[in-house]
Amino acid sequence: KNYAAITGAYWGFTLTDGALRMLVLLHFHALGFSPIDLALMFLLYEAVGVLTNFIGGWIGAKHGLKLTLFTGLMIQIGALFMLSGMQSNWALSISVIYVMTAQAFSGVAKDLIKMSAKSTVKRVVPDSNQGLLFRWIALLTGSKNALKGVGFLLGGVLLQVLGFHVALWSLAAFLIIVLLAAKGFV
């Protein structure tokens, strides 16, 4: 039951995270941001991983994986709302710094949730059955990659149909539902 809830939360997050990556990329490209500006927007998203995994691992070991999972979901919801505050008339440097900051929070969320999901698998599978552990991790990782791709498509569709701000609010609403469902099952 706990594994299913945590995996479901991980899948929900992965879908929205892929959508967010595409929303940011396509929206700011359409606004005329250069490839360097776009790359900078994703820089902190990737860079915060080392520190997040170190601190998140300590928090997970001390206070449990539910805390890191739920904290990651809440941080991502906050990052989505933060990003929706972005205005297209801001100065370029302010826009890039603002989006980098929101993306950094999203990167923290990603690493907390990924660590929670993968660590849960290790706790559920007995030490004597390493083959099953590797199969479950392969399934989790493979499904993540597939869902991230579906998320890319979802982000493009949401941007086209709803626009940038409403798409972000929709993703946040979906993650709130995922968070509440996970809290109900875990």
Side-chain angles (χ1 to χ4, degrees), residues 8-41:
Y10 180 61
W11 285 346
F13 171 83
T14 300
L15 186 65
T16 61
D17 191 52
L20 177 59
R21 300 291 131 284
M22 198 52 59
L23 278 168
V24 168
L25 185 65
L26 295 175
H27 176 71
F28 290 102
H29 173 72
L31 291 177
F33 284 60
S34 75
I36 296 295
D37 295 331
L38 294 172
L40 284 172
M41 290 179 179

Side-chain angles (χ1 to χ4, degrees), residues 24-160:
V24 168
L25 185 65
L26 295 175
H27 176 71
F28 290 102
H29 173 72
L31 291 177
F33 284 60
S34 75
I36 296 295
D37 295 331
L38 294 172
L40 284 172
M41 290 179 179
F42 290 94
L43 184 65
L44 287 180
Y45 172 82
E46 297 298 340
V48 298
V50 174
L51 186 61
T52 301
N53 282 311
F54 178 71
I55 294 171
W58 178 79
I59 292 170
K62 187 165 177 78
H63 299 288
L65 295 172
K66 285 194 298 188
L67 177 64
T68 56
L69 175 74
F70 296 150
T71 300
L73 288 169
M74 289 186 288
I75 290 171
Q76 181 73 347
I77 292 165
L80 289 164
F81 281 123
M82 179 183 175
L83 199 52
S84 74
M86 170 70 197
Q87 300 300 312
S88 58
N89 62 348
W90 289 357
L92 176 70
S93 59
I94 298 298
S95 297
V96 170
I97 291 169
Y98 188 83
V99 174
M100 279 178 74
T101 305
Q103 294 279 73
F105 286 121
S106 183
V108 168
K110 173 197 68 159
D111 287 315
L112 286 175
I113 292 168
K114 182 171 61 170
M115 179 204 62
S116 300
K118 290 188 177 181
S119 296
T120 299
V121 172
K122 180 133 175 67
R123 289 185 177 204
V124 171
V125 176
D127 289 335
S128 61
N129 197 346
Q130 291 297 308
L132 180 61
L133 174 65
F134 289 123
R135 283 193 298 275
W136 279 23
I137 292 289
L139 176 66
L140 194 62
T141 302
S143 65
K144 176 199 72 131
N145 294 336
L147 284 171
K148 182 82 74 165
V150 172
F152 291 160
L153 175 64
L154 177 65
V157 169
L158 288 174
L159 183 61
Q160 184 70 36

Side-chain angles (χ1 to χ4, degrees), residues 1-6 8-9 66 70 177-186:
K1 182 175 149 182
N2 283 348
Y3 174 73
I6 289 173
K66 285 194 298 188
F70 296 150
I177 292 167
V178 167
L179 174 64
L180 294 174
K183 279 191 171 191
F185 286 106
V186 175

